[in-house]
Amino acid sequence: MIYRVALEADKHWGAMKMEDQYRSSFILKQFLAEFPIDLYIYLGDFFDTKLLLNSKSSVYAIRDFTEKIEICRARGIPCRAIKGTRSHDYDQWEVFDNFMSNKAYNFRYFKTASIEETLPGFTIWY
């Protein structure tokens, strides 16, 4: 079986002008919304450094990922994310724990090396 997987990595929220980072996600969101995708995986370093939750970078980062995961939920696309380097992501992915606890989102976040049959007959080592 052939699967179509959308991969994204190294957004580094907090390192650049957040409005530009947010706008740069438009193409991927459009891609997720319009093309036949079987799986979306974020490959780490979503954040660049520890961010205050009420900072503009945090607000834009949370909005950006929430929009992507909502598109995936609406289209039935499983979402996965992998913890990035310690000097970047820290434990800030916890802001998305509500998606992991809600089965409608089919979202999992991997903090350590893991193996999962993510799609039928498609096993990934995260």
Side-chain angles (χ1 to χ4, degrees):
M1 169 141 290
I2 296 174
Y3 289 111
R4 295 158 299 233
V5 180
L7 303 171
E8 183 179 22
D10 295 298
K11 195 71 174 180
H12 289 277
W13 283 101
M16 301 172 230
K17 189 174 176 186
M18 74 282 317
E19 293 90 351
D20 292 340
Q21 283 182 284
Y22 181 74
R23 272 193 298 278
S24 74
S25 288
F26 173 77
I27 293 170
L28 180 60
K29 289 176 207 169
Q30 188 175 18
F31 187 76
L32 290 170
E34 296 178 14
F35 288 89
I37 303 298
D38 299 304
L39 176 64
Y40 165 66
I41 304 174
Y42 194 89
L43 299 169
D45 289 354
F46 185 71
F47 299 99
D48 188 67
T49 187
K50 285 185 179 180
L51 299 174
L52 295 173
L53 191 57
N54 64 347
S55 71
K56 274 189 156 186
S57 290
S58 289
V59 170
Y60 276 92
I62 292 167
R63 181 185 305 159
D64 177 62
F65 191 74
T66 299
E67 289 170 355
K68 289 173 188 162
I69 202 164
E70 287 292 349
I71 292 167
C72 290
R73 181 198 54 78
R75 298 199 61 215
I77 302 168
C79 297
R80 300 295 183 265
I82 301 168
K83 181 179 182 176
T85 56
R86 184 170 186 225
S87 62
H88 293 298
D89 282 346
Y90 295 94
D91 288 325
Q92 296 177 105
W93 273 96
E94 291 175 355
V95 298
F96 302 115
D97 279 355
N98 58 320
F99 295 124
M100 225 162 91
S101 61
N102 185 335
K103 292 184 188 218
Y105 287 98
N106 195 356
F107 172 67
R108 289 193 64 199
Y109 171 67
F110 297 96
K111 294 179 182 180
T112 61
S114 302
I115 296 174
E116 175 193 53
E117 185 177 6
T118 309
L119 298 168
F122 188 59
T123 301
I124 298 177
W125 181 8
Y126 296 99

